[in-house]
Amino acid sequence: MNMLESTNLFFAKAADHLGLSEQLRNMMLTPHRVVRVEIITESDSGGLYHHLGYRVQHSQARGPMKGGLRFHPSMDEDHASGLASLMTWKTAVAKIPFGGAKGGINCDPSKLSIAELHRITTTFVQLIKEVIGPTIDIPAPDVNTNSQVMGWIMDEYSKYYGFSPGVVTGKPLDLFGSLGRDEATGRGVMYALEECLKQRGQNLADVSVAIQGFGNVGSNTARLLAQQGARIVAVSDISGAIVNDKGLDMPAVLKWVAEHGVVSGFPDADAISGEALLAYKVDVLIPAAMEGAITEDNVEGIQADIVVEAANSPISPQANDNLFSRGVTVIPDILANAGGVTVSYFEWSQNIQQFQWQLERVNSELDRVMRLAYKDVSGLAARDGLDLRTAAFVLAIKRVARAMASRSNIGHYLPQAALS
Ligand code: NAD
């Protein structure tokens, strides 16, 4: 099952709960616009590169569309569509005034020089510039894209439309980025987990944690959780996993990764496989790498009581049902990793106002947004007897439906449950 199919299945469960008609489901799931472009550039060696770029704009009911750009060999239209749909529901759960979009380029950045990546990125901007913009669709970083890539996008777009810092978020601090954006997704994961533990009478210092993926999201989550006293027992990346039952010395792991590029080889830990990390006996498991990490093939091995989806779509629908039936709490992606898009919203607001916020303001507003979202979702789950994922989708669908109804006369066609 691909990402789009699994997102649609999770949506369908919530739509059943709300009694949405087939027609309304189609209207809410069909992307507003799908763009595919052919990107032809020169390689450093004088040859030609040929890549495909995508931007799927899923919904603009609640505001300008918002979502990351992923540079990865798995990027295609279905992938972008599934991720774009998740963004629509995520921005609604976080209650920030954006719709959803996603895109990227089917490429492997590890095989490209900086100059080649720059050419590919700026050519992509030239090809999609008419359909993005500060009030239309605002890209951001995702897998294999970073603040440098966002800086290139802002620069290229501004050549055509004049000074436009609000066209992308996740920009460098020296180029209208926001303080706190780099670590925002990890910080949001921490707030969501903390709320979950609070409801169980626990706090971060009580739990052991394993984290799959040590990029932007995984490494910031690990660092922030360790600072709050959580015992980070295992982390992994594409090179493999490292484990220390006493708790990894996180500043030392971060230093090792800064010097060596990967977690493998870190001296004060044992090496295990990435698959063994997922099955490690910990209280909290945080998939923070790619989609499809936990499926029917390995779900039985999961021993954690809580799984926090820092990555997008890391758990397949079958695995999700299995975890639910075993009483494992899953904090879903559209809630758990909403911190990134939330601080992207703060960055966009600062760009529009041309006024920079202090870090304390960014973090305290993020804290408020994430805890409120967690309480909204968990309150609905408790009231209607739903798992957190279905409750998050129900909440998001209602918010999007109400915005659609306020813009048009479709309100007559929506069931009362969706409007209340
Ligand atoms: P990244 O490119 O910075 O890091 C990805 C990490 O995953 C790397 O450490 C890589 O080595 C590791 N990885 C890849 N395949 C792996 C595997 N099979 N096993 C173990 N590790 C593996 O990407 P990121 O920005 O940290 O994004 C990670 C996830 O979080 C993605 O699903 C992304 O969509 C999601 N997300 C990111 C943000 C953000 O602000 N960056 C916001 C919301 C959600």
PDB file of all heavy atoms in Angstrom, residues 70 83 90 102 141-145 181-182 184-185 212-218 236-240 274 288-291 310-313 337-338 340-341, ligand 1:
ATOM      1  N   ARG A  70      10.586  17.778  -0.878  1.00  0.00           N
ATOM      2  CA  ARG A  70      11.433  16.615  -0.597  1.00  0.00           C
ATOM      3  C   ARG A  70      12.230  16.277  -1.846  1.00  0.00           C
ATOM      4  O   ARG A  70      11.648  16.129  -2.924  1.00  0.00           O
ATOM      5  CB  ARG A  70      10.518  15.449  -0.204  1.00  0.00           C
ATOM      6  CG  ARG A  70      11.251  14.195   0.128  1.00  0.00           C
ATOM      7  CD  ARG A  70      10.287  13.113   0.563  1.00  0.00           C
ATOM      8  NE  ARG A  70       9.669  13.375   1.847  1.00  0.00           N
ATOM      9  CZ  ARG A  70       9.101  12.443   2.612  1.00  0.00           C
ATOM     10  NH1 ARG A  70       9.077  11.182   2.209  1.00  0.00           N
ATOM     11  NH2 ARG A  70       8.550  12.751   3.774  1.00  0.00           N
ATOM     12  N   LEU A  83       1.338  13.095   0.913  1.00  0.00           N
ATOM     13  CA  LEU A  83       1.945  14.025   1.870  1.00  0.00           C
ATOM     14  C   LEU A  83       1.206  15.372   1.878  1.00  0.00           C
ATOM     15  O   LEU A  83       1.053  16.003   2.922  1.00  0.00           O
ATOM     16  CB  LEU A  83       3.428  14.226   1.528  1.00  0.00           C
ATOM     17  CG  LEU A  83       4.333  13.019   1.811  1.00  0.00           C
ATOM     18  CD1 LEU A  83       5.679  13.141   1.072  1.00  0.00           C
ATOM     19  CD2 LEU A  83       4.587  12.848   3.308  1.00  0.00           C
ATOM     20  N   LYS A  90      -3.040  18.315   8.932  1.00  0.00           N
ATOM     21  CA  LYS A  90      -2.106  18.753   9.997  1.00  0.00           C
ATOM     22  C   LYS A  90      -2.313  20.227  10.346  1.00  0.00           C
ATOM     23  O   LYS A  90      -2.382  20.598  11.513  1.00  0.00           O
ATOM     24  CB  LYS A  90      -0.677  18.518   9.512  1.00  0.00           C
ATOM     25  CG  LYS A  90       0.378  18.692  10.570  1.00  0.00           C
ATOM     26  CD  LYS A  90       1.764  18.458   9.997  1.00  0.00           C
ATOM     27  CE  LYS A  90       1.911  17.081   9.390  1.00  0.00           C
ATOM     28  NZ  LYS A  90       3.245  16.812   8.857  1.00  0.00           N
ATOM     29  N   LYS A 102       2.413  19.745  -0.935  1.00  0.00           N
ATOM     30  CA  LYS A 102       3.714  19.068  -0.785  1.00  0.00           C
ATOM     31  C   LYS A 102       4.303  18.882  -2.168  1.00  0.00           C
ATOM     32  O   LYS A 102       3.579  18.890  -3.167  1.00  0.00           O
ATOM     33  CB  LYS A 102       3.543  17.701  -0.122  1.00  0.00           C
ATOM     34  CG  LYS A 102       4.794  17.189   0.549  1.00  0.00           C
ATOM     35  CD  LYS A 102       4.912  17.724   1.971  1.00  0.00           C
ATOM     36  CE  LYS A 102       6.069  17.111   2.716  1.00  0.00           C
ATOM     37  NZ  LYS A 102       5.954  17.367   4.159  1.00  0.00           N
ATOM     38  N   PRO A 141      11.249  23.213   4.104  1.00  0.00           N
ATOM     39  CA  PRO A 141      12.154  22.055   4.012  1.00  0.00           C
ATOM     40  C   PRO A 141      11.454  20.740   4.363  1.00  0.00           C
ATOM     41  O   PRO A 141      10.494  20.714   5.123  1.00  0.00           O
ATOM     42  CB  PRO A 141      13.235  22.351   5.063  1.00  0.00           C
ATOM     43  CG  PRO A 141      13.039  23.746   5.512  1.00  0.00           C
ATOM     44  CD  PRO A 141      11.622  24.097   5.230  1.00  0.00           C
ATOM     45  N   ASP A 142      11.931  19.680   3.803  1.00  0.00           N
ATOM     46  CA  ASP A 142      11.531  18.321   4.192  1.00  0.00           C
ATOM     47  C   ASP A 142      12.766  17.441   3.976  1.00  0.00           C
ATOM     48  O   ASP A 142      13.890  17.959   3.990  1.00  0.00           O
ATOM     49  CB  ASP A 142      10.315  17.862   3.367  1.00  0.00           C
ATOM     50  CG  ASP A 142       9.666  16.611   3.944  1.00  0.00           C
ATOM     51  OD1 ASP A 142       9.016  16.711   4.994  1.00  0.00           O
ATOM     52  OD2 ASP A 142       9.815  15.524   3.350  1.00  0.00           O
ATOM     53  N   VAL A 143      12.566  16.157   3.754  1.00  0.00           N
ATOM     54  CA  VAL A 143      13.714  15.249   3.647  1.00  0.00           C
ATOM     55  C   VAL A 143      14.677  15.720   2.546  1.00  0.00           C
ATOM     56  O   VAL A 143      14.256  15.992   1.418  1.00  0.00           O
ATOM     57  CB  VAL A 143      13.233  13.804   3.371  1.00  0.00           C
ATOM     58  CG1 VAL A 143      14.410  12.877   3.129  1.00  0.00           C
ATOM     59  CG2 VAL A 143      12.379  13.309   4.538  1.00  0.00           C
ATOM     60  N   ASN A 144      15.951  15.835   2.914  1.00  0.00           N
ATOM     61  CA  ASN A 144      17.042  16.224   2.000  1.00  0.00           C
ATOM     62  C   ASN A 144      16.947  17.649   1.466  1.00  0.00           C
ATOM     63  O   ASN A 144      17.599  17.992   0.475  1.00  0.00           O
ATOM     64  CB  ASN A 144      17.156  15.263   0.800  1.00  0.00           C
ATOM     65  CG  ASN A 144      17.600  13.876   1.219  1.00  0.00           C
ATOM     66  OD1 ASN A 144      18.264  13.738   2.225  1.00  0.00           O
ATOM     67  ND2 ASN A 144      17.240  12.876   0.449  1.00  0.00           N
ATOM     68  N   THR A 145      16.136  18.478   2.080  1.00  0.00           N
ATOM     69  CA  THR A 145      16.193  19.906   1.754  1.00  0.00           C
ATOM     70  C   THR A 145      16.406  20.658   3.071  1.00  0.00           C
ATOM     71  O   THR A 145      15.996  20.176   4.125  1.00  0.00           O
ATOM     72  CB  THR A 145      14.926  20.425   1.054  1.00  0.00           C
ATOM     73  OG1 THR A 145      13.792  20.116   1.865  1.00  0.00           O
ATOM     74  CG2 THR A 145      14.751  19.833  -0.325  1.00  0.00           C
ATOM     75  N   ARG A 181      13.141  27.787  14.128  1.00  0.00           N
ATOM     76  CA  ARG A 181      12.518  26.952  13.089  1.00  0.00           C
ATOM     77  C   ARG A 181      13.243  25.616  12.930  1.00  0.00           C
ATOM     78  O   ARG A 181      12.605  24.577  12.761  1.00  0.00           O
ATOM     79  CB  ARG A 181      12.471  27.694  11.744  1.00  0.00           C
ATOM     80  CG  ARG A 181      11.952  26.851  10.558  1.00  0.00           C
ATOM     81  CD  ARG A 181      10.550  26.328  10.796  1.00  0.00           C
ATOM     82  NE  ARG A 181      10.048  25.416   9.762  1.00  0.00           N
ATOM     83  CZ  ARG A 181      10.193  24.097   9.746  1.00  0.00           C
ATOM     84  NH1 ARG A 181      10.885  23.487  10.701  1.00  0.00           N
ATOM     85  NH2 ARG A 181       9.655  23.365   8.791  1.00  0.00           N
ATOM     86  N   ASP A 182      14.590  25.646  13.034  1.00  0.00           N
ATOM     87  CA  ASP A 182      15.376  24.429  12.825  1.00  0.00           C
ATOM     88  C   ASP A 182      14.961  23.294  13.750  1.00  0.00           C
ATOM     89  O   ASP A 182      14.888  22.141  13.340  1.00  0.00           O
ATOM     90  CB  ASP A 182      16.866  24.731  13.093  1.00  0.00           C
ATOM     91  CG  ASP A 182      17.629  24.892  11.802  1.00  0.00           C
ATOM     92  OD1 ASP A 182      16.971  24.870  10.750  1.00  0.00           O
ATOM     93  OD2 ASP A 182      18.862  25.059  11.863  1.00  0.00           O
ATOM     94  N   ALA A 184      12.077  23.181  15.478  1.00  0.00           N
ATOM     95  CA  ALA A 184      10.660  23.303  15.822  1.00  0.00           C
ATOM     96  C   ALA A 184       9.909  21.965  15.790  1.00  0.00           C
ATOM     97  O   ALA A 184       9.074  21.692  16.652  1.00  0.00           O
ATOM     98  CB  ALA A 184       9.977  24.287  14.878  1.00  0.00           C
ATOM     99  N   THR A 185      10.212  21.120  14.791  1.00  0.00           N
ATOM    100  CA  THR A 185       9.463  19.869  14.703  1.00  0.00           C
ATOM    101  C   THR A 185       9.799  18.984  15.912  1.00  0.00           C
ATOM    102  O   THR A 185       8.895  18.420  16.551  1.00  0.00           O
ATOM    103  CB  THR A 185       9.770  19.146  13.374  1.00  0.00           C
ATOM    104  OG1 THR A 185       9.553  20.067  12.312  1.00  0.00           O
ATOM    105  CG2 THR A 185       8.876  17.937  13.185  1.00  0.00           C
ATOM    106  N   GLN A 212      14.186   6.408  15.645  1.00  0.00           N
ATOM    107  CA  GLN A 212      14.652   5.987  14.310  1.00  0.00           C
ATOM    108  C   GLN A 212      14.810   7.224  13.433  1.00  0.00           C
ATOM    109  O   GLN A 212      13.843   7.964  13.227  1.00  0.00           O
ATOM    110  CB  GLN A 212      13.616   5.051  13.658  1.00  0.00           C
ATOM    111  CG  GLN A 212      14.068   4.559  12.288  1.00  0.00           C
ATOM    112  CD  GLN A 212      12.922   4.110  11.396  1.00  0.00           C
ATOM    113  OE1 GLN A 212      11.852   4.711  11.393  1.00  0.00           O
ATOM    114  NE2 GLN A 212      13.141   3.061  10.638  1.00  0.00           N
ATOM    115  N   GLY A 213      16.011   7.463  12.916  1.00  0.00           N
ATOM    116  CA  GLY A 213      16.245   8.647  12.081  1.00  0.00           C
ATOM    117  C   GLY A 213      16.946   9.708  12.900  1.00  0.00           C
ATOM    118  O   GLY A 213      16.510  10.029  14.010  1.00  0.00           O
ATOM    119  N   PHE A 214      18.053  10.240  12.386  1.00  0.00           N
ATOM    120  CA  PHE A 214      18.818  11.225  13.153  1.00  0.00           C
ATOM    121  C   PHE A 214      19.139  12.430  12.273  1.00  0.00           C
ATOM    122  O   PHE A 214      20.227  12.965  12.275  1.00  0.00           O
ATOM    123  CB  PHE A 214      20.092  10.569  13.704  1.00  0.00           C
ATOM    124  CG  PHE A 214      20.560  11.183  14.993  1.00  0.00           C
ATOM    125  CD1 PHE A 214      19.840  10.996  16.173  1.00  0.00           C
ATOM    126  CD2 PHE A 214      21.720  11.957  15.044  1.00  0.00           C
ATOM    127  CE1 PHE A 214      20.270  11.566  17.366  1.00  0.00           C
ATOM    128  CE2 PHE A 214      22.154  12.530  16.230  1.00  0.00           C
ATOM    129  CZ  PHE A 214      21.436  12.324  17.390  1.00  0.00           C
ATOM    130  N   GLY A 215      18.127  12.849  11.482  1.00  0.00           N
ATOM    131  CA  GLY A 215      18.281  14.059  10.677  1.00  0.00           C
ATOM    132  C   GLY A 215      17.761  15.243  11.466  1.00  0.00           C
ATOM    133  O   GLY A 215      17.865  15.281  12.700  1.00  0.00           O
ATOM    134  N   ASN A 216      17.164  16.196  10.788  1.00  0.00           N
ATOM    135  CA  ASN A 216      16.649  17.394  11.472  1.00  0.00           C
ATOM    136  C   ASN A 216      15.718  17.007  12.612  1.00  0.00           C
ATOM    137  O   ASN A 216      15.895  17.427  13.756  1.00  0.00           O
ATOM    138  CB  ASN A 216      15.938  18.298  10.453  1.00  0.00           C
ATOM    139  CG  ASN A 216      15.252  19.474  11.132  1.00  0.00           C
ATOM    140  OD1 ASN A 216      14.318  19.297  11.917  1.00  0.00           O
ATOM    141  ND2 ASN A 216      15.717  20.678  10.879  1.00  0.00           N
ATOM    142  N   VAL A 217      14.708  16.197  12.308  1.00  0.00           N
ATOM    143  CA  VAL A 217      13.664  15.907  13.302  1.00  0.00           C
ATOM    144  C   VAL A 217      14.199  14.980  14.401  1.00  0.00           C
ATOM    145  O   VAL A 217      14.054  15.259  15.600  1.00  0.00           O
ATOM    146  CB  VAL A 217      12.425  15.290  12.619  1.00  0.00           C
ATOM    147  CG1 VAL A 217      11.348  14.993  13.652  1.00  0.00           C
ATOM    148  CG2 VAL A 217      11.886  16.237  11.552  1.00  0.00           C
ATOM    149  N   GLY A 218      14.822  13.869  14.005  1.00  0.00           N
ATOM    150  CA  GLY A 218      15.280  12.887  14.991  1.00  0.00           C
ATOM    151  C   GLY A 218      16.325  13.451  15.929  1.00  0.00           C
ATOM    152  O   GLY A 218      16.261  13.259  17.151  1.00  0.00           O
ATOM    153  N   SER A 236      19.052   5.735  15.523  1.00  0.00           N
ATOM    154  CA  SER A 236      19.546   5.125  14.277  1.00  0.00           C
ATOM    155  C   SER A 236      19.525   6.143  13.153  1.00  0.00           C
ATOM    156  O   SER A 236      18.858   7.185  13.247  1.00  0.00           O
ATOM    157  CB  SER A 236      18.682   3.925  13.881  1.00  0.00           C
ATOM    158  OG  SER A 236      17.407   4.351  13.442  1.00  0.00           O
ATOM    159  N   ASP A 237      20.256   5.833  12.105  1.00  0.00           N
ATOM    160  CA  ASP A 237      20.117   6.547  10.839  1.00  0.00           C
ATOM    161  C   ASP A 237      20.363   5.537   9.731  1.00  0.00           C
ATOM    162  O   ASP A 237      20.358   4.328   9.982  1.00  0.00           O
ATOM    163  CB  ASP A 237      21.033   7.794  10.767  1.00  0.00           C
ATOM    164  CG  ASP A 237      22.510   7.445  10.833  1.00  0.00           C
ATOM    165  OD1 ASP A 237      22.856   6.262  10.643  1.00  0.00           O
ATOM    166  OD2 ASP A 237      23.321   8.352  11.086  1.00  0.00           O
ATOM    167  N   ILE A 238      20.607   6.015   8.541  1.00  0.00           N
ATOM    168  CA  ILE A 238      20.736   5.116   7.406  1.00  0.00           C
ATOM    169  C   ILE A 238      21.936   4.153   7.576  1.00  0.00           C
ATOM    170  O   ILE A 238      21.973   3.072   6.981  1.00  0.00           O
ATOM    171  CB  ILE A 238      20.842   5.959   6.100  1.00  0.00           C
ATOM    172  CG1 ILE A 238      20.501   5.138   4.874  1.00  0.00           C
ATOM    173  CG2 ILE A 238      22.163   6.658   5.972  1.00  0.00           C
ATOM    174  CD1 ILE A 238      19.059   4.817   4.740  1.00  0.00           C
ATOM    175  N   SER A 239      22.881   4.525   8.445  1.00  0.00           N
ATOM    176  CA  SER A 239      24.099   3.699   8.635  1.00  0.00           C
ATOM    177  C   SER A 239      23.884   2.552   9.620  1.00  0.00           C
ATOM    178  O   SER A 239      24.721   1.659   9.718  1.00  0.00           O
ATOM    179  CB  SER A 239      25.244   4.584   9.163  1.00  0.00           C
ATOM    180  OG  SER A 239      25.017   4.961  10.513  1.00  0.00           O
ATOM    181  N   GLY A 240      22.806   2.565  10.412  1.00  0.00           N
ATOM    182  CA  GLY A 240      22.582   1.543  11.436  1.00  0.00           C
ATOM    183  C   GLY A 240      22.146   2.186  12.739  1.00  0.00           C
ATOM    184  O   GLY A 240      21.837   3.382  12.774  1.00  0.00           O
ATOM    185  N   GLY A 274      19.089  -1.459  12.347  1.00  0.00           N
ATOM    186  CA  GLY A 274      17.985  -0.502  12.377  1.00  0.00           C
ATOM    187  C   GLY A 274      16.671  -1.192  12.723  1.00  0.00           C
ATOM    188  O   GLY A 274      15.821  -0.645  13.438  1.00  0.00           O
ATOM    189  N   ALA A 288      11.334   8.681  13.172  1.00  0.00           N
ATOM    190  CA  ALA A 288      11.590  10.052  12.689  1.00  0.00           C
ATOM    191  C   ALA A 288      12.391  10.001  11.396  1.00  0.00           C
ATOM    192  O   ALA A 288      13.235  10.865  11.142  1.00  0.00           O
ATOM    193  CB  ALA A 288      12.331  10.862  13.760  1.00  0.00           C
ATOM    194  N   ALA A 289      12.159   8.951  10.583  1.00  0.00           N
ATOM    195  CA  ALA A 289      12.920   8.828   9.331  1.00  0.00           C
ATOM    196  C   ALA A 289      11.974   8.940   8.136  1.00  0.00           C
ATOM    197  O   ALA A 289      11.564  10.040   7.774  1.00  0.00           O
ATOM    198  CB  ALA A 289      13.688   7.514   9.324  1.00  0.00           C
ATOM    199  N   MET A 290      11.606   7.794   7.577  1.00  0.00           N
ATOM    200  CA  MET A 290      10.786   7.818   6.363  1.00  0.00           C
ATOM    201  C   MET A 290       9.453   7.102   6.627  1.00  0.00           C
ATOM    202  O   MET A 290       9.254   6.493   7.667  1.00  0.00           O
ATOM    203  CB  MET A 290      11.521   7.105   5.224  1.00  0.00           C
ATOM    204  CG  MET A 290      12.861   7.717   4.867  1.00  0.00           C
ATOM    205  SD  MET A 290      12.755   9.398   4.240  1.00  0.00           S
ATOM    206  CE  MET A 290      12.152   9.085   2.572  1.00  0.00           C
ATOM    207  N   GLU A 291       8.565   7.129   5.630  1.00  0.00           N
ATOM    208  CA  GLU A 291       7.281   6.448   5.765  1.00  0.00           C
ATOM    209  C   GLU A 291       7.471   4.924   5.715  1.00  0.00           C
ATOM    210  O   GLU A 291       8.507   4.424   5.288  1.00  0.00           O
ATOM    211  CB  GLU A 291       6.286   6.886   4.677  1.00  0.00           C
ATOM    212  CG  GLU A 291       6.817   6.949   3.285  1.00  0.00           C
ATOM    213  CD  GLU A 291       7.597   8.229   3.004  1.00  0.00           C
ATOM    214  OE1 GLU A 291       7.405   9.215   3.730  1.00  0.00           O
ATOM    215  OE2 GLU A 291       8.423   8.205   2.096  1.00  0.00           O
ATOM    216  N   ALA A 310       6.957  11.082  14.628  1.00  0.00           N
ATOM    217  CA  ALA A 310       7.667  12.308  14.261  1.00  0.00           C
ATOM    218  C   ALA A 310       7.811  12.384  12.737  1.00  0.00           C
ATOM    219  O   ALA A 310       7.774  13.460  12.152  1.00  0.00           O
ATOM    220  CB  ALA A 310       9.037  12.337  14.929  1.00  0.00           C
ATOM    221  N   ALA A 311       7.976  11.235  12.084  1.00  0.00           N
ATOM    222  CA  ALA A 311       7.994  11.190  10.615  1.00  0.00           C
ATOM    223  C   ALA A 311       6.562  11.235  10.097  1.00  0.00           C
ATOM    224  O   ALA A 311       5.610  11.023  10.851  1.00  0.00           O
ATOM    225  CB  ALA A 311       8.672   9.916  10.137  1.00  0.00           C
ATOM    226  N   ASN A 312       6.417  11.483   8.808  1.00  0.00           N
ATOM    227  CA  ASN A 312       5.100  11.402   8.183  1.00  0.00           C
ATOM    228  C   ASN A 312       4.822   9.976   7.748  1.00  0.00           C
ATOM    229  O   ASN A 312       5.664   9.348   7.105  1.00  0.00           O
ATOM    230  CB  ASN A 312       5.041  12.334   6.963  1.00  0.00           C
ATOM    231  CG  ASN A 312       4.889  13.781   7.380  1.00  0.00           C
ATOM    232  OD1 ASN A 312       4.048  14.112   8.217  1.00  0.00           O
ATOM    233  ND2 ASN A 312       5.706  14.665   6.822  1.00  0.00           N
ATOM    234  N   SER A 313       3.663   9.476   8.143  1.00  0.00           N
ATOM    235  CA  SER A 313       3.175   8.177   7.674  1.00  0.00           C
ATOM    236  C   SER A 313       4.124   6.989   7.940  1.00  0.00           C
ATOM    237  O   SER A 313       4.287   6.139   7.075  1.00  0.00           O
ATOM    238  CB  SER A 313       2.896   8.278   6.166  1.00  0.00           C
ATOM    239  OG  SER A 313       1.972   7.318   5.767  1.00  0.00           O
ATOM    240  N   ASN A 337       3.980  15.853  14.616  1.00  0.00           N
ATOM    241  CA  ASN A 337       5.054  16.621  13.963  1.00  0.00           C
ATOM    242  C   ASN A 337       4.574  17.972  13.426  1.00  0.00           C
ATOM    243  O   ASN A 337       5.236  18.578  12.580  1.00  0.00           O
ATOM    244  CB  ASN A 337       5.780  15.772  12.904  1.00  0.00           C
ATOM    245  CG  ASN A 337       4.922  15.474  11.684  1.00  0.00           C
ATOM    246  OD1 ASN A 337       4.118  16.305  11.260  1.00  0.00           O
ATOM    247  ND2 ASN A 337       5.114  14.311  11.087  1.00  0.00           N
ATOM    248  N   ALA A 338       3.459  18.475  13.990  1.00  0.00           N
ATOM    249  CA  ALA A 338       2.912  19.759  13.514  1.00  0.00           C
ATOM    250  C   ALA A 338       3.741  20.964  13.961  1.00  0.00           C
ATOM    251  O   ALA A 338       3.484  22.089  13.523  1.00  0.00           O
ATOM    252  CB  ALA A 338       1.469  19.920  13.988  1.00  0.00           C
ATOM    253  N   GLY A 340       6.724  21.816  13.164  1.00  0.00           N
ATOM    254  CA  GLY A 340       7.487  22.403  12.060  1.00  0.00           C
ATOM    255  C   GLY A 340       6.644  23.396  11.282  1.00  0.00           C
ATOM    256  O   GLY A 340       7.047  24.553  11.074  1.00  0.00           O
ATOM    257  N   VAL A 341       5.469  22.973  10.891  1.00  0.00           N
ATOM    258  CA  VAL A 341       4.617  23.882  10.095  1.00  0.00           C
ATOM    259  C   VAL A 341       4.109  25.033  10.963  1.00  0.00           C
ATOM    260  O   VAL A 341       3.863  26.132  10.474  1.00  0.00           O
ATOM    261  CB  VAL A 341       3.482  23.115   9.374  1.00  0.00           C
ATOM    262  CG1 VAL A 341       2.394  22.656  10.311  1.00  0.00           C
ATOM    263  CG2 VAL A 341       2.874  23.996   8.285  1.00  0.00           C
TER     264      VAL A 341
HETATM  265  P1  NAD B   1      16.338  14.497   7.172  1.00  0.00           P
HETATM  266  O1  NAD B   1      16.661  14.290   5.753  1.00  0.00           O
HETATM  267  O2  NAD B   1      16.955  15.647   7.901  1.00  0.00           O
HETATM  268  O3  NAD B   1      16.686  13.173   8.022  1.00  0.00           O
HETATM  269  C1  NAD B   1      16.237  11.897   7.692  1.00  0.00           C
HETATM  270  C2  NAD B   1      16.975  10.919   8.604  1.00  0.00           C
HETATM  271  O4  NAD B   1      16.416   9.614   8.445  1.00  0.00           O
HETATM  272  C3  NAD B   1      18.473  10.779   8.309  1.00  0.00           C
HETATM  273  O5  NAD B   1      19.170  10.694   9.536  1.00  0.00           O
HETATM  274  C4  NAD B   1      18.559   9.448   7.568  1.00  0.00           C
HETATM  275  O6  NAD B   1      19.825   8.824   7.702  1.00  0.00           O
HETATM  276  C5  NAD B   1      17.485   8.683   8.307  1.00  0.00           C
HETATM  277  N1  NAD B   1      16.974   7.502   7.619  1.00  0.00           N
HETATM  278  C6  NAD B   1      16.553   7.364   6.340  1.00  0.00           C
HETATM  279  N2  NAD B   1      16.158   6.099   6.114  1.00  0.00           N
HETATM  280  C7  NAD B   1      16.337   5.439   7.289  1.00  0.00           C
HETATM  281  C8  NAD B   1      16.120   4.101   7.708  1.00  0.00           C
HETATM  282  N3  NAD B   1      15.639   3.185   6.868  1.00  0.00           N
HETATM  283  N4  NAD B   1      16.401   3.770   8.993  1.00  0.00           N
HETATM  284  C9  NAD B   1      16.887   4.682   9.851  1.00  0.00           C
HETATM  285  N5  NAD B   1      17.106   5.959   9.518  1.00  0.00           N
HETATM  286  C10 NAD B   1      16.852   6.325   8.254  1.00  0.00           C
HETATM  287  O7  NAD B   1      14.743  14.562   7.231  1.00  0.00           O
HETATM  288  P2  NAD B   1      13.838  15.242   8.372  1.00  0.00           P
HETATM  289  O8  NAD B   1      13.551  16.637   7.966  1.00  0.00           O
HETATM  290  O9  NAD B   1      14.410  14.959   9.697  1.00  0.00           O
HETATM  291  O10 NAD B   1      12.475  14.434   8.161  1.00  0.00           O
HETATM  292  C11 NAD B   1      12.252  13.161   8.755  1.00  0.00           C
HETATM  293  C12 NAD B   1      10.757  12.868   8.721  1.00  0.00           C
HETATM  294  O11 NAD B   1      10.051  13.889   9.432  1.00  0.00           O
HETATM  295  C13 NAD B   1      10.125  12.827   7.330  1.00  0.00           C
HETATM  296  O12 NAD B   1       9.075  11.882   7.349  1.00  0.00           O
HETATM  297  C14 NAD B   1       9.543  14.227   7.182  1.00  0.00           C
HETATM  298  O13 NAD B   1       8.482  14.276   6.240  1.00  0.00           O
HETATM  299  C15 NAD B   1       9.055  14.452   8.587  1.00  0.00           C
HETATM  300  N6  NAD B   1       8.847  15.851   8.941  1.00  0.00           N
HETATM  301  C16 NAD B   1       9.876  16.757   8.837  1.00  0.00           C
HETATM  302  C17 NAD B   1       9.658  18.074   9.232  1.00  0.00           C
HETATM  303  C18 NAD B   1      10.766  19.090   9.228  1.00  0.00           C
HETATM  304  O14 NAD B   1      10.544  20.201   9.742  1.00  0.00           O
HETATM  305  N7  NAD B   1      11.948  18.787   8.713  1.00  0.00           N
HETATM  306  C19 NAD B   1       8.390  18.478   9.687  1.00  0.00           C
HETATM  307  C20 NAD B   1       7.379  17.533   9.793  1.00  0.00           C
HETATM  308  C21 NAD B   1       7.625  16.222   9.427  1.00  0.00           C
END
